[in-house]
């Protein structure tokens, strides 16, 4: 009798895991796509050959029909299922099924499936954009490769070795990995030493919870900073009820804008200004994004100037707070300068690390701020007098409404472009309503409670602010509590400044300003320090703080129009964005969305025409005021900001729903084809 071939023919095709790994790390250029397509075609043909060869081998042994032949068939089938062979068996050599993977000459990169299917939309005359054109300089592409290593430890930089089919070999292979090649466990929603990248956050790093949105914003809203808004409102000649309504209205609208941006970040894992491309087009987004970058830099300058101003102002009585305050109140302002430098150094370091380090600072500094507020509340609640609050004269509701617009411009629109930046690490399956609710609790409820208490405290006493509300609080709180508040404020300024620096880096990358955070953050820190010193030297009627509201309102018009379009676009969408199309002008979102872009420009023109900022350089504003029926209302209320925001909100609702639904249908179609492609080869998620 001829010898029986108990061993099946060795497979020629790659295993499922190796093929999925190869396709999942294909290069993002034309050559990489062609290589991936060739690999799919080749492996499909090889699998058909393997299947036919195995059927012939099995039919041959079944025709023999001996116990040894049938046992060989059974053991091969069990081996394919990861089961041990049958024992006892007369077969001396157990079947070993080995995948002989073809060598791959070039390493691959990320997102093969999306690139394969997106390539079908590109015309034959239009080549694929290279990865360097999309993501920037070589060092940024290196960062993307490092992110790929975290998701796929064994990349195809070298020919793939043969891999046994059994599950035990996979376990052994992972166990033999070096510590450097194993991905680190993700314990927090943000990772260490995070570089600015426009790529989507890997799913393995998106392990946070919706409640993290509460902690992410608490350092901003749970500190003594809401006391500043209360001090501003207290300086106006309006009643306690008018001040409270103005504060709550501005804070709640601001919180809604920021929290909805966080919802978009949760869906996609992408920064805010990259997601904005879906509303304005990949290239059209550059126009509003430039204004948002200017607003981010302006925010940095304001925080730095505020720090210098707070720690150097001479409004504090030296006899009340001792020699240290005497030093702080000295003409040289040495204490304020040193404190500002220390705050900037700490903030720059936090912004460079980002990730887990920044999130931890946000959480603990926010908790410290709330604790300090509770101490202030417990020690000063007895000073609140309902009679004193009721006796405050009622002022103009127009002044109250104007104050609400200024607070909305400073708080809501300043941070509107950062909502998704601090929600990118939330998992996709986190409930959107929870993400918005936790963000709303931190961004709206907490500052409203603190601000209304501060209004009641200031309105019940002889509190007055000349230039520095923190220094003015000294006589109200007493020396010990004042220094506790000052320490908490310094910690809050560090974290808030770091948050702004971190977001500024992402904003700059979204318009292809390709400076690495480790370089950009120190440069911004030096600019902030120089601006803080200059601002502290110009404290008169034409100084920085005198013109602060005018600059804020001017920036609020284009940002308000952008925020309206972006928020409305996010609320209309029901599925995640198509990441590849956000980086390629031929994708679903096109180079320009002329309706939204043109509507944004119209909103900006109308908004500027209906406001009148105080600085002389903005003399050209208000050109539509004289054409209105009530010019005094528009000048006094700054309602042009609201008009610009409202026009932006209406644009996607009126003219964008069919376009958005069509985009979503195309994305779902591509995802369905992607899943079909997986099913062909039996891929598992």
């Amino acid at each position: 009798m001829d010898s029986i071939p108990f061993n099946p023919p060795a497979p020629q095709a790659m295993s499922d895991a190796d093929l999925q790994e190869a396709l999942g790390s294909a290069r993002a250029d034309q050559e990489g796509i062609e290589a991936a397509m060739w690999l799919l075609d080749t492996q499909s043909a090889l699998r058909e050959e393997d299947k036919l060869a195995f059927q012939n081998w099995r039919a041959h042994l079944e025709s023999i029909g001996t116990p040894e032949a049938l046992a060989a068939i059974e053991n091969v089938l069990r081996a394919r299922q990861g089961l041990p062979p049958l024992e006892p068996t007369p077969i001396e050599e157990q079947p070993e099924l080995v995948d002989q993977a073809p060598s791959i000459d070039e390493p691959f990169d990320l997102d093969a499936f999306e690139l394969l299917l997106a390539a079908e939309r590109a015309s034959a005359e239009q080549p694929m954009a290279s990865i360097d054109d999309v993501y920037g300089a070589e060092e940024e592409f290196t960062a993307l490769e490092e992110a790929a290593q975290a998701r796929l430890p064994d990349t195809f930089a070298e020919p793939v070795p043969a891999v046994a089919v059994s599950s035990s070999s996979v376990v052994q292979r992972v166990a033999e990995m070096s510590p450097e090649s194993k991905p680190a466990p993700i314990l927090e929603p943000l990772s260490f030493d995070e570089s600015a990248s426009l790529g989507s956050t890997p799913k393995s790093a998106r392990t946070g919870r919706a409640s993290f949105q509460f902690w992410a914003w608490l350092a901003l809203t749970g500190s003594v900073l809401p006391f500043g808004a209360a001090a501003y409102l207290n300086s106006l000649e309006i009643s306690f009820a008018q001040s409270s309504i103005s504060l709550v209205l501005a804070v709640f609208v601001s919180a809604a804008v920021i929290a909805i941006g966080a919802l978009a970040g949760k869906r996609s894992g992408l920064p805010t200004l990259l997601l904005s491309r879906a509303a304005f087009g990949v290239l059209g987004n550059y126009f509003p994004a430039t204004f948002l970058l200017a607003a981010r830099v302006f925010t940095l300058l304001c925080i730095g100037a505020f720090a210098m101003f707070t720690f150097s102002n001479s409004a504090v009585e030296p006899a009340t707070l001792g020699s240290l305050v005497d030093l702080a109140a000295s003409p040289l302002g040495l204490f304020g300068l040193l404190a500002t430098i220390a705050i900037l150094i700490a903030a720059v370091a936090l912004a460079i690390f980002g990730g887990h380090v920044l999130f931890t600072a946000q959480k603990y500094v926010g908790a410290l701020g709330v604790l300090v507020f509770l101490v202030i509340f417990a020690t000063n609640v007895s000073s609140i007098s309902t009679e004193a609050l009721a006796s405050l004269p009622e002022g103009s509701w127009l002044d109250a409404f104007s104050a609400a617009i200024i607070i909305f411009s400073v708080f809501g629109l300043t941070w509107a472009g950062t909502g998704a930046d601090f929600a990118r690490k939330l998992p996709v399956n986190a409930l959107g309503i929870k993400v918005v609710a936790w963000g709303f609790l931190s961004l709206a409820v907490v500052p409203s409670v603190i601000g209304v208490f501060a209004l009641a405290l200031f309105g019940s006493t002889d509190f007055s602010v000349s230039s520095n509300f923190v220094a003015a609080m000294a006589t109200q709180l007493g020396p010990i509590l004042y220094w506790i508040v000052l320490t908490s404020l310094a910690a809050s300024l560090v974290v808030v400044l770091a948050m702004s620096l971190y977001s500024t880096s992402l904003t700059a990358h979204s318009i292809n300003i390709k400076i690495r955070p480790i370089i950009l953050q120190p440069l911004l820190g030096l600019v902030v320090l120089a601006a803080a010193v200059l601002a502290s030297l110009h404290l008169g009627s034409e100084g920085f703080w005198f013109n602060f509201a005018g600059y804020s309102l001017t920036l609020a018009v284009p940002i308000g129009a952008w925020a309206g379009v972006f928020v409305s676009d996010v609320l209309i969408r029901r599925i995640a964005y198509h990441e590849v199309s956000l980086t390629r002008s031929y994708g679903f979102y096109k180079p320009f969305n002329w309706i939204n872009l043109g509507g944004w420009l119209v909103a900006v023109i109308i908004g500027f025409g209906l406001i009148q900022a105080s600085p002389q350089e903005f003399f050209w504003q208000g050109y539509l005021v004289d054409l209105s029926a009530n010019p005094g209302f528009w000048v006094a209320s700054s309602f042009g900001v609201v008009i610009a925001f409202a026009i932006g909100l209406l644009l996607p609702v009126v003219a964008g729903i069919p376009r958005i639904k069509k985009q979503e249908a195309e994305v779902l179609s591509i995802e369905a084809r992607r899943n079909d492609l997986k099913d062909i080869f039996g891929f598992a998620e």
Side-chain angles (χ1 to χ4, degrees):
M1 178 185 295
D2 296 336
S3 60
I4 302 174
F6 289 107
N7 289 330
Q12 303 179 58
M14 301 169 62
S15 66
D16 288 351
D18 289 337
L19 181 56
Q20 183 179 10
E21 186 175 2
L23 292 174
S25 54
R27 280 209 320 245
D29 54 12
Q30 184 71 26
E31 184 178 354
I33 292 175
E34 292 176 354
M37 295 175 65
W38 171 85
L39 184 61
L40 283 173
D41 294 338
T42 303
Q43 291 301 311
S44 178
L46 290 176
R47 289 195 176 211
E48 290 296 328
E49 294 179 8
D50 292 342
K51 182 179 179 180
L52 181 60
F54 178 77
Q55 290 176 347
N56 292 335
W57 173 82
R58 180 175 181 176
H60 177 69
L61 291 190
E62 288 177 345
S63 66
I64 296 175
T66 63
E68 295 85 355
L70 297 178
I73 296 175
E74 180 67 21
N75 283 336
V76 169
L77 295 177
R78 292 175 63 86
R80 288 191 168 189
Q81 299 175 7
L83 300 176
L86 294 175
E87 294 183 359
T89 176
I91 302 176
E92 296 180 359
E93 184 179 359
Q94 296 294 328
E96 181 180 5
L97 188 59
V98 177
D99 292 327
Q100 297 178 350
S103 63
I104 298 178
D105 296 330
E106 294 185 350
F108 293 97
D109 206 62
L110 296 173
D111 296 330
F113 289 124
E114 279 90 348
L115 294 172
L116 270 173
L117 299 172
E120 298 178 4
R121 297 184 53 82
S123 62
E125 294 79 17
Q126 183 177 13
M128 287 286 292
S130 67
I131 195 68
D132 290 331
D133 293 335
V134 177
Y135 290 108
E138 181 179 355
E139 58 268 23
E140 297 167 12
F141 179 62
T142 302
L144 291 175
E145 290 183 325
E146 293 173 355
Q149 292 286 349
R151 199 185 319 182
L152 300 172
D154 298 325
T155 54
F156 282 79
E158 299 178 357
V160 181
V163 181
V165 171
S166 64
S167 59
S168 60
S169 65
V170 178
V171 175
Q172 180 180 2
R173 184 180 178 187
V174 174
E176 292 174 354
M177 290 169 57
S178 62
E180 292 78 7
S181 63
K182 292 183 180 180
I186 305 298
L187 301 179
E188 294 288 349
L190 304 172
S191 59
F192 280 99
D193 198 10
E194 182 178 318
S195 60
S197 172
L198 296 184
S200 177
T201 303
K203 291 182 179 180
S204 60
R206 300 179 66 177
T207 57
R209 296 187 297 274
S211 60
F212 288 152
Q213 275 295 284
F214 176 81
W215 298 108
W217 295 103
L218 194 61
L220 174 65
T221 61
S223 64
V224 297
L225 294 178
F227 278 82
Y232 162 68
L233 291 170
N234 186 72
S235 65
L236 304 177
E237 295 181 356
I238 56 179
S239 67
F240 171 72
Q242 290 173 320
S243 299
S244 300
I245 293 173
S246 176
L247 175 66
V248 172
L249 177 63
V251 168
F252 269 63
V253 176
S254 300
V257 173
I258 301 172
I260 292 172
L263 177 63
K266 186 275 301 185
R267 289 176 179 172
S268 60
L270 295 167
T272 309
L273 265 295
L274 186 65
L275 298 175
S276 177
R277 295 179 179 181
F280 292 93
V282 175
L283 301 180
N285 187 62
Y286 280 75
F287 295 98
T290 302
F291 284 94
L292 268 83
L293 179 60
R296 294 253 48 83
V297 175
F298 178 71
T299 301
L300 290 172
L301 301 183
C302 291
I303 297 173
F306 176 77
M308 178 76 75
F309 212 44
T310 298
F311 291 95
S312 298
N313 195 266
S314 59
V316 183
E317 292 290 340
T320 304
L321 299 179
S323 58
L324 287 178
V325 178
D326 189 23
L327 175 61
S330 65
L332 295 177
L334 179 61
F335 180 67
L337 178 62
L338 295 178
T340 303
I341 293 175
I343 289 172
L344 283 171
I345 291 175
V348 167
L350 273 180
I352 291 175
F353 278 106
H356 174 81
V357 177
L358 178 56
F359 176 76
T360 302
Q362 289 171 304
K363 181 168 58 175
Y364 287 109
V365 170
L368 174 64
V370 171
L371 180 62
V372 170
F373 164 71
L374 293 177
V375 173
I376 296 175
F377 178 85
T379 55
N380 291 271
V381 66
S382 59
S383 301
I384 296 178
S385 171
T386 55
E387 291 80 6
L389 295 178
S391 64
L392 293 176
E394 184 170 344
S396 169
W397 280 101
L398 183 59
D399 292 340
F401 187 69
S402 176
I405 293 177
I406 292 177
I407 295 175
F408 172 63
S409 301
V410 173
F411 175 45
L413 296 182
T414 296
W415 293 94
T418 66
D421 298 348
F422 299 103
R424 297 184 301 137
K425 306 305 174 67
L426 297 179
V428 178
N429 58 0
L431 290 179
I433 187 65
K434 287 187 176 181
V435 173
V436 174
W438 280 109
F440 205 79
L441 179 63
S442 182
L443 288 162
V445 178
V446 172
S448 294
V449 171
I450 296 176
V452 170
F453 168 78
L455 283 172
L457 180 62
F458 297 159
S460 301
T461 60
D462 296 330
F463 179 84
S464 62
V465 177
S466 57
S467 57
N468 186 342
F469 82 92
V470 179
M473 289 172 62
T475 56
Q476 182 69 45
L477 302 178
I480 297 178
L481 188 55
Y482 171 77
W483 284 108
I484 295 176
V485 169
L486 203 62
T487 303
S488 173
L489 177 63
S492 298
L493 288 175
V494 169
V495 175
V496 172
L497 190 59
M499 291 170 62
S500 191
L501 286 166
Y502 177 84
S503 182
T504 301
S505 183
L506 293 176
T507 303
H509 273 66
S510 71
I511 58 175
N512 284 340
I513 298 180
K514 305 165 186 176
I515 304 178
R516 298 183 63 184
I518 198 170
I519 299 175
L520 179 61
Q521 310 295 17
L523 289 177
L524 288 174
L526 292 175
V527 172
V528 170
L529 179 61
V533 173
L534 291 176
S536 66
L537 297 177
H538 296 81
L539 305 179
S541 60
E542 298 300 325
F544 177 81
W545 294 117
F546 178 80
N547 296 324
F548 173 74
Y551 291 123
S552 299
L553 288 174
T554 300
L555 284 173
V557 170
I559 297 174
W562 168 88
V565 174
F566 179 69
V567 166
S568 187
D569 185 89
V570 171
L571 291 177
I572 294 173
R573 296 184 186 274
R574 290 293 179 266
I575 65 173
Y577 297 84
H578 190 247
E579 182 180 351
V580 174
S581 294
L582 290 171
T583 58
R584 284 140 175 90
S585 59
Y586 56 78
F588 297 141
Y589 308 121
K590 308 300 181 184
F592 298 94
N593 184 329
W594 293 110
I595 295 178
N596 283 352
L597 190 60
W600 171 81
L601 183 59
V602 170
V604 171
I605 293 173
I606 294 176
F608 281 147
L610 295 176
I611 67 169
Q612 185 60 67
S614 55
Q616 295 181 356
E617 53 266 33
F618 300 132
F619 68 92
W620 49 269
Q621 295 176 355
Y623 42 81
L624 298 179
V625 169
D626 293 336
L627 302 178
S628 64
N630 190 355
F633 167 80
W634 297 102
V635 173
S637 66
S638 302
F639 199 67
V641 175
V642 178
I643 295 296
F645 180 67
I647 293 175
L649 277 175
L650 291 175
L651 274 174
V653 176
V654 173
I657 293 180
R659 170 184 53 84
I660 292 174
K661 296 307 178 184
K662 180 182 178 182
Q663 291 173 353
E664 291 184 329
E666 291 176 325
V667 172
L668 290 175
S669 176
I670 275 195
E671 288 300 317
R673 296 175 65 186
R674 176 185 181 187
N675 292 332
D676 292 341
L677 186 62
K678 289 181 179 180
D679 293 339
I680 292 175
F681 299 102
F683 289 168
E685 287 286 352

